[in-house]
Each structure stands twice: as C-alpha cells, then as structure tokens.
Amino acid sequence: MRTELGDHITNAQSKAGLEHRLATMEALTAEDIANAIFYAVSQPPRVNVNEILIRPTDQER
C-alpha cells in the first residue's frame, strides 16, 4: 500500500521523480512498521528505545 505523499506534490517533475523512485524499490508494508513498533514497546523497562529509523533497504539516504 502506498501513501498519499505523491497526491500533494504539485510540481510535475518532482512528482514524476517520486513515481520513478517508488517503481524501482520494494515499499515497506504496514506489517514492517508494526513489527518495529512491537519491538520498541516489548523491551524490558530497563531498555529505552529513543529512535527508530525505518526505510526500505534499497532506498538511498
């Protein structure tokens, strides 16, 4: 499932660039995000998860 991010881009060149990038990478799933959240909230009280950065493995910085 894709997000509505591209729906809010008005610049045609930027929108085409986004569509190209999305077509060339495997998108994350809702289950991927849910697994990361579960990991964070299931840690013992002595563990403080401050940040989680989640992105597709084939996405460049």
Side-chain angles (χ1 to χ4, degrees):
M1 174 183 233
R2 304 265 184 209
T3 68
E4 72 282 352
L5 173 65
D7 297 342
H8 303 285
I9 298 175
T10 57
N11 179 285
Q13 186 176 7
S14 296
K15 190 167 190 165
L18 174 64
E19 289 172 0
H20 173 72
R21 289 194 67 192
L22 291 174
T24 60
M25 73 172 56
E26 184 178 1
L28 296 174
T29 66
E31 185 177 10
D32 296 329
I33 304 305
N35 287 338
I37 293 169
F38 178 77
Y39 165 79
V41 301
S42 65
Q43 297 307 298
R46 69 180 176 280
V47 176
N48 185 6
V49 179
N50 289 320
E51 294 182 26
I52 298 177
L53 175 62
I54 304 169
R55 66 178 181 211
T57 54
D58 56 353
Q59 177 180 340
E60 295 178 9
R61 289 185 155 193

